[in-house]
Amino acid sequence: MPTLSQLMVPLPVKSGPDDLNVGAELTGKLDKEEVVKWLAKFYQRREIKAAATENGIDNYIYHQTYLSFRKFCLEIDKLPVDLHVTFSDIIAGACHLDSLLPYFVRHAKQVFPHLECLDDLKKISDLRLPANWYPEARALTRKIIFHSGPTNSGKTFHALERFFNSKSGVYCGPLKLLASEVYYKSNQRGVPCDLVTGEERNFASVNKTPSSHVSCTVEMVSVNTPYEVAVIDEIQMLKDPSRGWAWTRALLGVAAEEVHVCGEAAAIDVVKEIIMSASEEVELRRYKRLTELMIEESSLGTLEKIRPGDCLVCFNKQDIFWSTRQIEAMGIECAVIYGSLPPGTKLAQAKKFNDPDHPCKVLVATDAIGMGLNLNIGRVIFNSLIKPTVNEKGEKEMDTITTSQALQIAGRAGRYGTQFSTGYVTTMKNEDLPTLKRLLSQHPEPITQVGLHPTAEQIELYAYHLPHANLSNLIDIFVNLSTVDDSLYFICNIDDFKFLADMIQHVPLPLRARYVFCCAPINRKIPFVCSMFLKFARQYSRNEVLSFDWLGRQIGLPFACPNTLLDLVHLESVFDVLDLYLWLSYRFQDLFPDASLVRDMQKELDCLIQAGVAQLTRLLINSETKVSSGTSQAVEAEENRPVLFTKKTLYSHDRNAIASGNPLSSHGRIADRLLSEGLLTPKMLEELKKEWQFQKDCEKESFEASNGIVDKSNPAKHSKNDPLNTRRLNRKRRT
C-alpha cells in the first residue's frame, strides 16, 4: 500500500495579487541564477532535512516541496516581500542559508495541506471504538441472544417467533428474497410489517403509514428507531470482505431491547468480543439439525443416475448450461437457479421445483441456493468443489470451497417438513468425494475479525480539511490514516467504491451525492450496467429528470423475447439497470420520479427472463447454430430471423416515442463466453459482424481482381487494368 505522502497530490502555489513588487523596490531585483545556486545548497543540507522531518515532512514531501518551491521562486516575478528580502540578504552574505527554512515549511503546508490538519484527520479516522458511534443503542440495556446452529436447525424460526410476538420489531436479512419472505409471512400472520430494501419500501397499511414491524435488508436497518425486538440473520456474514460492515453496524447499532442473532457457531466468540466492547453480554442458545444428513459412499459418476429431488450444484454458468442441456436431453425437465437471475425468476424456478404436481423434479443451481430460498431437496450433488474467487488484489483464483460453504450448501438437502426426512450429499466425480467428506467432518474456522466501512459523515469531514482531493483519493487517505483494532476489525474492501468514484470523477456532483452514487450495488464487470450508471450520474449532475421515457430510450424498449443465450444475458443486465434506477430513486426521488412505472417494467422483464430460463436448452441450441460455424448461411439465417416482441404493458406514460429494440447481432459460443465475462456488449457484436462482412467482401473483390475474374453483368467493375478500380481496392485493403 502506498504511503500517506504518496497519496497526497501536490497543489500548485500562486503568488498574491499585489501590483507592486515591494521586495524589488527595497533590495533590488534578484539574480535568478544565484537563487538556483543557493536553493540547491539549501536542499542538500542535512540540518535542513532533519528540521523538515521534525515538522512532519518526510523524504517524498521534502523533494516534492523543493521542486515546487524552486519553481515558485524562479517563475514568480513578485515574490512575497519577506522571502524576497531574505533571498537578497543570503546572496549578499548578510544572512545564513538556514533562514529559508520557515518559508520552505510554509510552502510545504500550502503544497500539502494535510500537514496542517494531520492530527484532526487521524482523530476522524480513529475506528478503534465503533460501539461509541451509536449513542441510541448505548443508552439501552440490550439483551443479546445468539441462536447458533447448522442449516435446517430451526434457529431462525425461533428468533422470528419472538419477532412476530413483539410489540415492535425489525428483521435484518442478507438478501431481498429473505426480507420479502419475512414481510409476507408477518402480514399473513396478522402482524402488519413493512418491507424496506435498497430499491423500495412497501407499506403494510393502505394509507402508507409506517408499521411497528419492519423487514429489511441488513444495510437498510435504522440505528435511530427504537424497537422491542431485532433479528439479525446470517451473522457469520460479519466476516464478508465487502458487506461485513453492515452486520457490524446492525449488531452494535440497532436500538432494540432484545437483539436475536442467528448464524454459525464460528461467529460466537467474535460476537461476544464485540458485545463486550459495548459492555453487554450474550446469551447462547444452541440448536441441532432437525433432519439427518448423510454422505453417500459413492459419487454419482454420470448424469444418467439423476433422480427426482436432486440438486446439481455448479460454480459457474458454463457448467450450469452444459448440465441442463445434458439432463433435458434425457427427457428430464430441470429448474435452473444462478446468482444473476432476478429474484422473481429464482422464486418461480424454486416454486416449480417444489411443486409435487409439476413434472420438474431436478434442480441445477449455483451456490446461490445457500441462503434465501426454501427448496425441497433430497440430495445435493457437487459437480465440482473448485470455485472461482477474487483475491484482495482483484485477481481471479480457483480454489476449493471452504468448510462453511460446503456445510451451507450440503445442508440444503433434507429440509425439515418435506418428504425428504433424510438429506443426502455426494459429488459428481469420484476423486472429489474424499475432499467433501473431509470438509463436512470439520467445523468452520472461528471468525476473528469483522468488517468496518467509512461513513459519509467521516468522508465529508475529510473533504472539509482536504477540499482539493477527489473522492477516491479521500477514501485512500482515510484507509491509510485509519486506526483499527486489528485483533477484532478490518476495513472492508473498497475497490468497487473506488471504481465507481473514478468512473464519475469528471462528472460535477456534490460530495454527498457522489458518495451515494458510489455506494450503488452494481456489478462493475458488466459494461452495459456501468455505462448506464455513468449516464445516470451525468443526467443527475445536469439536474435533468430521469423519466420513464428517457430510461426506455436508453435500454431499448420494448424488450425482445430471448432467442439465444446472449439475449438472455443481456436481459439480465437490463434488469440490473432497472434495479439501479430503483436504488437511486429511493435516495433521489425528485430526479428519479418514475419508480412505480419502472417497477412495472421490471415485472414484465422478469416474465421474459423466466420464459427464457424455462427454454434454456433451446437458447443454447440457437446460440450454437449461429455464426460460430463461420458460414455465410449462418449469417443469413441470423439476418432473416424474425424478432418477437412481447405484448406491451400499458403504462400511464406514452411509449410511442420509444424506439423499437433491434435484434441482437449473431453470435456463437465464444461470443456468449465473452459477454458472460463482461468483455462484449450486443452493440460491439453488431459492429464486429459488420467489420467481418466488410473484410470478407474486400477479400472477395481482391481475389477476383487478382485472378482476372470478370462479372459479366458489369465487366468494368472487375477490370484489372482499370486504374480507378485498382485505387478503390487499395483503399479497401488499407482500411
Side-chain angles (χ1 to χ4, degrees):
M1 190 173 182
T3 63
L4 175 64
S5 301
Q6 292 170 334
L7 292 174
M8 298 297 177
V9 179
L11 300 179
V13 179
K14 299 179 181 179
S15 63
D18 296 336
D19 294 330
L20 299 175
N21 193 346
V22 179
E25 291 183 2
L26 292 175
T27 62
K29 192 173 182 181
L30 293 174
D31 185 346
K32 296 295 184 180
E33 291 183 0
E34 287 292 319
V35 170
V36 172
K37 182 180 72 173
W38 286 104
L39 280 175
K41 291 181 179 179
F42 174 84
Y43 175 73
Q44 293 170 1
R45 281 180 59 78
R46 293 181 180 179
E47 293 83 358
I48 296 298
K49 291 183 179 180
T53 303
E54 292 177 0
N55 285 275
I57 301 174
D58 61 16
N59 290 336
Y60 175 81
I61 294 180
Y62 183 78
H63 180 68
Q64 293 295 325
T65 302
Y66 166 71
L67 296 176
S68 176
F69 189 55
R70 185 180 65 178
K71 182 179 179 182
F72 176 80
C73 294
L74 295 179
E75 295 183 358
I76 301 299
D77 292 330
K78 302 172 184 178
L79 290 176
V81 179
D82 52 353
L83 179 59
H84 186 104
V85 172
T86 302
F87 264 121
S88 180
D89 291 345
I90 292 173
I91 294 172
C95 181
H96 195 276
L97 182 60
D98 292 356
S99 301
L100 283 176
L101 180 61
Y103 306 102
F104 183 82
V105 173
R106 181 178 68 185
H107 190 87
K109 292 180 178 179
Q110 292 176 299
V111 177
F112 295 96
H114 76 281
L115 295 174
E116 288 272 37
C117 56
L118 191 57
D119 290 339
D120 291 334
L121 294 176
K122 288 181 178 179
K123 288 179 182 178
I124 295 168
S125 54
D126 188 346
L127 309 180
R128 286 175 293 183
L129 297 173
N132 295 342
W133 302 349
Y134 310 104
E136 288 84 357
R138 300 293 76 78
L140 300 173
T141 304
R142 302 190 307 171
K143 181 180 180 182
I144 314 296
I145 302 169
F146 195 122
H147 300 264
S148 169
T151 308
N152 273 325
S153 61
K155 55 185 184 298
T156 307
F157 170 82
H158 288 90
L160 285 175
E161 284 299 308
R162 183 67 187 94
F163 169 82
F164 295 138
N165 294 320
S166 63
K167 296 178 182 178
S168 63
V170 60
Y171 168 81
C172 311
L175 300 171
K176 188 191 305 184
L177 282 173
L178 281 171
S180 299
E181 181 183 348
V182 173
Y183 162 72
Y184 288 118
K185 190 176 293 185
S186 181
N187 285 293
Q188 288 172 359
R189 292 185 53 160
V191 180
C193 180
D194 297 342
L195 174 66
V196 178
T197 68
E199 296 76 26
E200 63 180 330
R201 172 157 191 167
N202 292 340
F203 294 93
S205 62
V206 179
N207 56 6
K208 295 188 176 181
T209 56
S211 303
S212 58
H213 288 69
V214 176
S215 179
C216 64
T217 46
V218 67
E219 287 88 351
M220 298 301 296
V221 62
S222 169
V223 294
N224 302 315
T225 307
Y227 299 102
E228 181 186 356
V229 171
V231 177
I232 306 174
D233 207 359
E234 304 293 352
I235 192 64
Q236 71 274 3
M237 292 287 286
L238 284 161
K239 67 178 179 180
D240 188 89
S242 299
R243 298 178 64 200
W245 64 269
W247 276 264
T248 306
R249 173 178 172 270
L251 180 61
L252 286 172
V254 67
E257 298 172 18
E258 287 183 24
V259 181
H260 295 256
V261 295
C262 311
E264 296 177 358
I268 293 176
D269 291 339
V270 75
V271 167
K272 286 183 176 179
E273 287 287 332
I274 296 171
I275 294 304
M276 191 181 299
S277 69
S279 301
E280 296 171 336
E281 295 181 355
V282 178
E283 176 187 331
L284 183 60
R285 299 180 184 176
R286 296 184 183 270
Y287 300 83
K288 294 183 179 181
R289 184 177 168 88
L290 298 174
T291 59
E292 188 179 2
L293 180 64
M294 298 183 64
I295 305 174
E296 294 190 340
E297 292 301 322
S298 60
S299 61
L300 195 68
T302 173
L303 291 176
E304 294 178 355
K305 296 181 181 179
I306 285 281
R307 67 191 186 204
D310 279 354
C311 172
L312 181 64
V313 177
C314 308
F315 292 112
N316 60 68
K317 281 187 180 180
Q318 285 77 14
D319 287 345
I320 281 187
F321 297 150
W322 183 86
S323 300
T324 300
R325 183 172 179 181
Q326 297 300 314
I327 293 172
E328 293 195 344
M330 297 186 293
I332 302 173
E333 183 177 350
C334 1
V336 178
I337 296 175
Y338 51 88
S340 59
L341 287 176
T345 303
K346 291 178 184 175
L347 288 172
Q349 292 291 303
K351 183 179 180 181
K352 179 173 75 170
F353 175 71
N354 289 338
D355 187 356
D357 299 324
H358 198 282
C360 173
K361 300 299 179 187
V362 173
L363 174 64
V364 181
T366 63
D367 54 342
I369 65 167
M371 61 177 69
L373 291 168
N374 291 321
L375 298 163
N376 300 341
I377 299 172
R379 180 173 62 174
V380 167
I381 305 160
F382 285 90
N383 185 63
S384 170
L385 296 177
I386 304 297
K387 180 181 178 181
T389 58
V390 178
N391 62 20
E392 296 177 354
K393 297 180 181 180
E395 300 168 342
K396 194 172 183 180
E397 294 180 342
M398 305 297 288
D399 201 2
T400 305
I401 60 174
T402 64
T403 298
S404 177
Q405 292 169 334
L407 289 169
Q408 186 86 11
I409 298 169
R412 290 292 161 185
R415 182 185 168 204
Y416 179 73
T418 68
Q419 69 269 34
F420 302 109
S421 57
T422 301
Y424 295 91
V425 59
T426 187
T427 59
M428 175 61 70
K429 304 169 188 174
N430 193 48
E431 59 267 26
D432 287 339
L433 194 56
T435 304
L436 179 64
K437 290 180 178 180
R438 177 177 55 81
L439 289 172
L440 297 182
S441 65
Q442 298 172 344
H443 295 289
E445 292 185 8
I447 300 171
T448 57
Q449 290 180 308
V450 302
L452 295 175
H453 193 278
T455 65
E457 291 77 16
Q458 290 168 326
I459 299 303
E460 282 181 334
L461 288 173
Y462 258 54
Y464 171 78
H465 290 291
L466 303 171
H468 299 285
N470 60 48
L471 182 56
S472 179
N473 194 224
L474 286 174
I475 290 291
D476 281 335
I477 297 169
F478 183 95
V479 173
N480 190 287
L481 285 177
S482 61
T483 309
V484 180
D485 181 359
D486 293 334
S487 64
L488 198 55
Y489 300 102
F490 67 89
I491 301 292
C492 281
N493 191 323
I494 53 174
D495 289 345
D496 289 345
F497 185 98
K498 287 175 56 183
F499 175 84
L500 298 182
D502 290 335
M503 185 188 298
I504 61 173
Q505 176 54 39
H506 63 286
V507 180
L509 290 171
L511 180 66
R512 178 61 74 117
R514 189 181 299 276
Y515 181 92
V516 172
F517 264 88
C518 294
C519 289
I522 74 171
N523 186 348
R524 63 174 178 167
K525 296 180 181 178
I526 304 178
F528 180 68
V529 178
C530 292
S531 66
M532 288 303 300
F533 171 80
L534 184 57
K535 288 182 180 180
F536 287 169
R538 285 174 176 162
Q539 193 85 345
Y540 179 90
S541 70
R542 294 192 290 262
N543 202 33
E544 296 179 3
V545 174
L546 289 89
S547 65
F548 176 85
D549 291 339
W550 178 89
L551 180 63
R553 288 192 294 272
Q554 304 304 314
I555 62 177
L557 277 179
F559 302 124
C561 185
N563 196 43
T564 64
L565 192 59
L566 182 59
D567 297 354
L568 179 63
V569 172
H570 180 66
L571 289 184
E572 291 170 7
S573 65
V574 173
F575 192 94
D576 289 343
V577 170
L578 300 185
D579 254 351
L580 174 61
Y581 182 97
L582 294 174
W583 191 90
L584 292 168
S585 72
Y586 191 83
R587 290 148 182 84
F588 306 110
Q589 297 180 7
D590 51 341
L591 292 182
F592 293 81
D594 294 335
S596 59
L597 295 173
V598 171
R599 200 166 285 116
D600 290 339
M601 175 168 44
Q602 207 175 34
K603 292 177 182 177
E604 175 189 352
L605 181 58
D606 200 343
C607 293
L608 277 178
I609 294 174
Q610 289 182 36
V613 173
Q615 304 178 63
L616 193 57
T617 298
R618 182 180 66 83
L619 301 189
L620 290 167
I621 294 173
N622 288 349
S623 298
E624 294 174 358
T625 56
K626 302 303 175 184
V627 299
S628 58
S629 62
T631 62
S632 58
Q633 291 85 354
V635 176
E636 293 171 359
E638 175 66 14
E639 290 175 344
N640 297 327
R641 175 174 64 87
V643 181
L644 301 177
F645 294 104
T646 59
K647 183 179 179 181
K648 293 184 180 180
T649 305
L650 298 178
Y651 303 109
S652 61
H653 277 54
D654 180 14
R655 292 171 57 179
N656 294 330
I658 300 178
S660 301
N662 293 325
L664 295 175
S665 58
S666 53
H667 53 275
R669 291 181 180 177
I670 295 178
D672 292 338
R673 187 169 70 252
L674 290 175
L675 188 115
S676 66
E677 294 174 357
L679 300 176
L680 277 181
T681 64
K683 185 177 180 180
M684 292 168 63
L685 281 174
E686 184 67 30
E687 292 174 355
L688 286 172
K689 174 184 168 185
K690 291 178 180 178
E691 290 179 8
W692 176 77
Q693 187 64 41
F694 179 76
Q695 182 180 359
K696 188 176 180 182
D697 293 342
C698 290
E699 291 175 352
K700 180 180 178 182
E701 291 186 16
S702 177
F703 174 79
E704 292 175 350
S706 61
N707 289 277
I709 301 175
V710 179
D711 184 354
K712 294 181 180 180
S713 62
N714 189 3
K717 180 180 178 182
H718 294 283
S719 174
K720 288 179 61 177
N721 299 321
D722 185 1
L724 181 63
N725 183 57
T726 303
R727 288 197 298 272
R728 182 173 60 84
L729 287 174
N730 288 336
R731 277 201 307 272
K732 282 193 174 184
R733 291 192 190 102
R734 286 197 298 272
T735 303

